């Protein structure tokens, strides 16, 4: 079966077409600047030349039609007709408390995802636009929704209820949801597979460290706690997001700087983190470069990031009362040997030891723990699209 995986953003659409007989990617690509001037599609078929198509793309329906045209094009397409697509898997950011697992899409599911828009006002609307466009263009093809929040729904109440008046949880659904769930699920399953041990026998901490970062504590295959919360702002310090700060700072700064709610929201989400502390960039590569040239604040941002990772790993090990496996994934997790070494050096009290030579690489799947280490440490490139394709194939079967 061939599965089309879609990840719709407000002005972009990423896609991958999988052949599930061997899980190979037949084609992938990106539509950019939907609804804006200069919109384009970059289509990358396997074993054929990349195509860049510059054309007017006013909405998600046009974008998806364009993707389907590219996939079936006689010259650079990879399938002969749309009928070859067995199902479509959609990445949806917020599934609230309602969606605890991957779900076949019908009218009720669309209505439920729409109800969750207040919880993800920037992310759920493009996801819904993608679903609606696909349902109109491919009315007979099953559609499946895979939620970023779903894997974390196994968290116990003690992890997800905030120390706020309980009525806000009841009235507005204010609780911790967690994000990057598909990535944490993929790498945890993959680590168990590499080890050849059932997930149910393992205590794991998975670290998704990229532009947005989160850590999850997974016991017997179930998330018990995670660092992101009601929104992806909570937890670790990130590229441009502050992560945890004393909440009283917010009203203090608003008063001092005369900021509106929108401005303070932007400050916390877009001007903080590596960018805010270093003053250099939200991209760790640039921050590392500046630090190597002696930039004090760049080095401070890096040290703070490492320290916060260690802090959450330590807390989570205590929460789940042990650790068998530590996993690093995403842009920084996969590509920064310095970060992995600095973090693991602080965890030797857990009898966690890495092979520092083996750790010197980027972007591949590898065990980096030493033979004597009680805790196995892996770097596993994340593959959310494959997880979505697998879920979709399983559900429609
Ligand atoms: P992601 O959001 O998963 O795409 O990750 C983006 C982050 O990964 C950015 O902060 C990048 O600086 C970081 N990253 C990507 N490649 C490298 C690298 N070679 N060394 C250090 N950080 C990297």
């Amino acid at each position: 079966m061939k599965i089309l995986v879609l990840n719709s953003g407000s002005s972009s659409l990423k896609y991958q077409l999988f052949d599930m007989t061997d899980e190979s990617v037949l084609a992938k690509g990106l539509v950019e600047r939907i609804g804006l001037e200069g919109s384009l599609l970059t289509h990358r078929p396997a074993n054929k030349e990349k195509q860049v198509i510059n054309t007017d793309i006013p909405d998600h329906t046009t974008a998806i039609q364009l993707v389907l045209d590219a996939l079936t094009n006689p010259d650079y397409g990879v399938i002969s007709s749309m009928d070859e697509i067995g199902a479509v898997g959609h990445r949806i950011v917020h599934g609230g408390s309602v969606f605890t697992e991957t779900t076949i899409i019908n009218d009720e599911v669309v209505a439920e995802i729409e109800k969750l828009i207040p919880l993800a006002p920037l992310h759920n609307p493009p996801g819904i636009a993608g679903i609606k466009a696909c349902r109109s263009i491919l009315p007979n093809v099953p559609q499946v929704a895979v939620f970023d929040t779903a894997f974390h729904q196994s968290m116990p109440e003690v992890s997800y209820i905030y120390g706020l008046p309980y009525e806000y949880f009841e009235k507005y659904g204010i609780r911790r949801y967690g994000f990057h769930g598909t990535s944490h699920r993929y790498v945890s399953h993959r680590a168990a597979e590499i080890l050849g041990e059932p997930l149910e026998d393992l205590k794991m901490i998975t670290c998704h460290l990229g532009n947005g970062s989160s850590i999850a504590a997974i016991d017997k295959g179930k998330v018990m706690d995670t660092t992101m919360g009601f929104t992806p702002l909570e937890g670790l310090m990130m590229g441009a997001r502050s992560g945890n700060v004393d909440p009283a700072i917010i009203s203090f700064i608003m008063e001092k700087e005369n900021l509106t709610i929108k401005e303070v929201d932007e400050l916390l989400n877009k001007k903080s983190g590596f960018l805010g502390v270093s003053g250099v960039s939200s991209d760790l590569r640039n921050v590392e470069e500046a630090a190597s040239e002696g930039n004090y604040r760049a080095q401070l941002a890096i040290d703070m990031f490492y320290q916060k990772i260690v802090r959450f790993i330590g807390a989570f090990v205590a929460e789940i009362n042990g650790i068998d496996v530590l996993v690093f994934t995403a842009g920084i997790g996969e590509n920064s040997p310095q970060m992995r070494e600095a973090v693991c050096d602080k965890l030797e009290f857990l009898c966690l030891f890495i092979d520092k030579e083996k750790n010197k690489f980027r972007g591949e799947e590898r065990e980096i723990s030493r033979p004597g280490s009680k805790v196995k440490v892996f770097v596993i490139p994340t593959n959310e699209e494959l997880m979505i394709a697998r879920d979709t194939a399983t559900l429609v079967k």
Side-chain angles (χ1 to χ4, degrees), residues 208-212 274 282-286 288 330-332 335-336 362:
H208 177 112
L209 308 171
N211 195 28
F274 303 155
S282 62
D283 190 304
L284 184 64
R285 279 166 292 197
N286 302 337
E288 281 177 351
I332 300 171
N335 293 302
S336 177
R362 301 183 194 281

Side-chain angles (χ1 to χ4, degrees), residues 84-213:
E84 286 188 47
I85 299 173
V88 183
H90 296 265
R91 175 192 178 217
I92 302 294
V93 169
H94 218 305
S97 307
V98 186
F99 296 107
T100 56
E101 52 190 30
T102 296
T103 306
I104 294 256
I105 296 171
N106 56 28
D107 291 345
E108 282 146 37
V109 169
V110 176
E112 282 296 338
I113 301 172
E114 279 176 334
K115 273 196 222 156
L116 294 167
I117 288 175
L119 295 181
L122 299 180
H123 293 105
N124 273 19
I128 295 164
I131 291 173
K132 288 188 171 166
C134 271
R135 290 182 95 201
S136 75
I137 302 171
L138 301 165
N140 300 318
V141 176
Q143 316 274 325
V144 166
V146 183
F147 299 92
D148 261 24
T149 47
F151 188 47
H152 299 297
Q153 296 310 298
S154 54
M155 279 193 289
E157 266 182 319
V158 288
S159 295
Y160 72 70
I161 297 288
Y162 285 107
L164 292 167
Y166 195 78
E167 70 206 63
Y168 296 122
F169 164 59
E170 296 172 308
K171 251 166 78 178
Y172 306 120
I174 294 178
R175 51 159 283 182
R176 307 185 60 256
Y177 291 99
F179 297 87
H180 297 139
T182 311
S183 176
H184 289 290
R185 185 156 59 101
Y186 174 79
V187 297
S188 58
H189 281 248
R190 183 70 196 125
E193 196 174 84
I194 300 168
L195 277 171
E197 287 181 39
L199 203 52
E200 291 66 33
D201 292 350
L202 297 167
K203 291 180 190 285
M204 280 196 204
I205 308 284
T206 50
C207 304
H208 177 112
L209 308 171
N211 195 28
S213 295

Side-chain angles (χ1 to χ4, degrees), residues 74-368:
D75 297 326
Y76 49 81
V78 291
I79 50 176
S80 51
S81 104
M82 292 199 308
D83 297 341
E84 286 188 47
I85 299 173
V88 183
H90 296 265
R91 175 192 178 217
I92 302 294
V93 169
H94 218 305
S97 307
V98 186
F99 296 107
T100 56
E101 52 190 30
T102 296
T103 306
I104 294 256
I105 296 171
N106 56 28
D107 291 345
E108 282 146 37
V109 169
V110 176
E112 282 296 338
I113 301 172
E114 279 176 334
K115 273 196 222 156
L116 294 167
I117 288 175
L119 295 181
L122 299 180
H123 293 105
N124 273 19
I128 295 164
I131 291 173
K132 288 188 171 166
C134 271
R135 290 182 95 201
S136 75
I137 302 171
L138 301 165
N140 300 318
V141 176
Q143 316 274 325
V144 166
V146 183
F147 299 92
D148 261 24
T149 47
F151 188 47
H152 299 297
Q153 296 310 298
S154 54
M155 279 193 289
E157 266 182 319
V158 288
S159 295
Y160 72 70
I161 297 288
Y162 285 107
L164 292 167
Y166 195 78
E167 70 206 63
Y168 296 122
F169 164 59
E170 296 172 308
K171 251 166 78 178
Y172 306 120
I174 294 178
R175 51 159 283 182
R176 307 185 60 256
Y177 291 99
F179 297 87
H180 297 139
T182 311
S183 176
H184 289 290
R185 185 156 59 101
Y186 174 79
V187 297
S188 58
H189 281 248
R190 183 70 196 125
E193 196 174 84
I194 300 168
L195 277 171
E197 287 181 39
L199 203 52
E200 291 66 33
D201 292 350
L202 297 167
K203 291 180 190 285
M204 280 196 204
I205 308 284
T206 50
C207 304
H208 177 112
L209 308 171
N211 195 28
S213 295
S214 68
I215 299 181
I218 303 171
D219 191 7
K220 304 187 181 79
K222 300 219 176 305
V223 175
M224 302 309 284
D225 206 346
T226 188
T227 54
M228 283 182 170
F230 179 60
T231 73
L233 181 58
E234 192 180 340
L236 292 162
M237 184 177 107
M238 307 177 213
R241 284 175 239 165
S242 64
N244 288 354
V245 294
D246 181 339
I249 294 170
I250 297 164
S251 55
F252 187 88
I253 298 182
M254 284 178 83
E255 207 168 24
K256 289 276 178 207
E257 298 273 317
N258 209 9
L259 298 184
T260 62
I261 291 174
K262 198 162 170 274
E263 285 167 335
V264 82
D265 191 61
E266 197 164 303
L267 177 91
L268 295 167
N269 279 290
K270 300 200 173 142
K271 297 183 182 165
S272 300
F274 303 155
L275 174 64
V277 175
S278 71
V280 174
S281 168
S282 62
D283 190 304
L284 184 64
R285 279 166 292 197
N286 302 337
V287 182
E288 281 177 351
E289 202 183 307
S292 72
E293 288 160 3
N295 184 315
Y296 173 78
R297 275 170 48 191
Q299 189 59 52
L300 176 64
I302 293 169
D303 293 342
M304 286 169 64
F305 180 56
Y306 294 174
Q307 188 246 24
K308 275 147 193 61
I309 299 169
V310 171
R311 177 190 288 177
F312 279 113
I313 293 173
F316 284 175
V317 170
E319 261 187 69
I320 61 173
N321 196 12
I323 175 171
D324 302 305
V325 182
L326 177 67
V327 184
F328 292 104
T329 192
I332 300 171
E334 293 164 26
N335 293 302
S336 177
Q338 302 94 298
M339 178 278 298
R340 296 191 298 253
E341 183 174 327
V343 168
C344 291
D345 273 352
K346 297 273 189 187
L347 299 172
E348 290 191 347
F349 76 99
L350 294 168
C351 295
L352 180 157
F353 303 106
I354 62 163
D355 179 328
K356 293 188 178 174
E357 283 310 307
K358 238 178 165 180
N359 178 45
K360 287 186 182 139
F361 73 101
R362 301 183 194 281
E364 22 170 305
E365 188 174 278
R366 195 183 280 190
E367 180 181 344
I368 57 170

